[in-house]
Amino acid sequence: MRITRLVLLAVLLVAGCGQSVAGSPVPNSEAAKKSAERLYNQGISAISGYFTNVNNFRGSLFFYAAVNDRKSGSDIDVAMRGAPGEQYSLMTKHRSKTPPGYDYDVYSPAGSALDYVRLGKAYTSIAPTPWVSLPTISDGYVCAISGLQTLCKLVDALRAVDKAPPPGRITTASRLPDGRTEVRTEITLKAFIDNRVIGMPADVAGLIEPEMMSKLVPLKIMLSSDGALQGVEVKGAVQGTKSRVELEVGYEARGTAVPADFPPQPQAGDVTALPDETARSDFWKRMAAAQK
């Protein structure tokens, strides 16, 4: 699989977002607990199935994180036509919210040995052309795709919490009037950070007090009426004695990719070609440095 190393995303930490949807919570009883557990497992299976069946899809990831005055946030739209193990096109659009303006797109055309990066206005000093071409990197790792990478790490974080459920963790499930299912549970801040759902620099991690790590953050999984994944959202804040962590992250499944999701292959005159892996690594380092 073609992989874009999203060095720029390893900025802060994170967690999810979204408005709560009114439903009919299962009553607080032993039967309700079993039902919630069953639907929770169904939600985890739906996320895992989304990875397994990844092909011809569109999705959107959003995140915002703050540790005291250190903030980071971005939106990523991803579209794929084809499937791993085949020739496929992959397009990711990165829109920075905090700091604003640091936008870029990465396009991997089907059958091409190159990835193309379209530079936003904040990166015009990186190259003299609007596009840069890079030697593609390929393997079969679905969880390296932007957006899906965050979903994979979120499942790892949930499984870590499931192995040793913390005191006070609550899981509930609701059937909504339109037939969808909403599952609500919690994850610890420690599991979220340890599994790098969004990467966090060491100096930012050092601001978090140890006693904050066991605190729980709400998480929601939304399934369609036929049990397919619609989205995952995490949203919460953890207050310590000296520090405050705010987390928002979410992924929305947006159906099937269409030809309009992919640009024409850039013209040669619009592309600065980087010849090898060394140049590729240097390019991403310069992109990251431009934000400082």
Side-chain angles (χ1 to χ4, degrees), residues 52-165:
T52 304
N53 299 316
V54 59
N55 62 79
N56 296 323
F57 79 96
R58 286 190 294 182
S60 294
L61 171 75
F62 56 91
F63 78 86
Y64 170 80
V67 179
N68 296 344
D69 61 348
R70 298 288 296 274
K71 301 176 182 180
S72 180
S74 187
D75 294 330
I76 302 174
D77 292 327
V78 57
M80 174 188 282
R81 293 199 83 195
E86 307 171 359
Q87 287 193 1
Y88 62 87
S89 295
L90 181 65
M91 181 70 179
T92 58
K93 298 181 178 181
H94 304 252
R95 301 293 177 261
S96 177
K97 296 182 290 190
T98 306
Y102 289 88
D103 304 335
Y104 66 99
D105 301 340
V106 183
Y107 178 39
S108 302
S112 176
L114 298 173
D115 295 335
Y116 296 89
V117 180
R118 178 162 50 194
L119 301 171
K121 293 181 179 180
Y123 294 117
T124 53
S125 63
I126 302 295
T129 56
W131 290 87
V132 171
S133 66
L134 314 167
T136 193
I137 297 175
S138 299
D139 72 16
Y141 191 42
V142 171
C143 286
I145 297 174
S146 298
L148 299 190
Q149 183 182 69
T150 301
L151 271 182
C152 289
K153 292 179 177 180
L154 194 51
V155 169
D156 289 343
L158 282 169
R159 285 174 174 160
V161 176
D162 290 343
K163 288 180 180 179

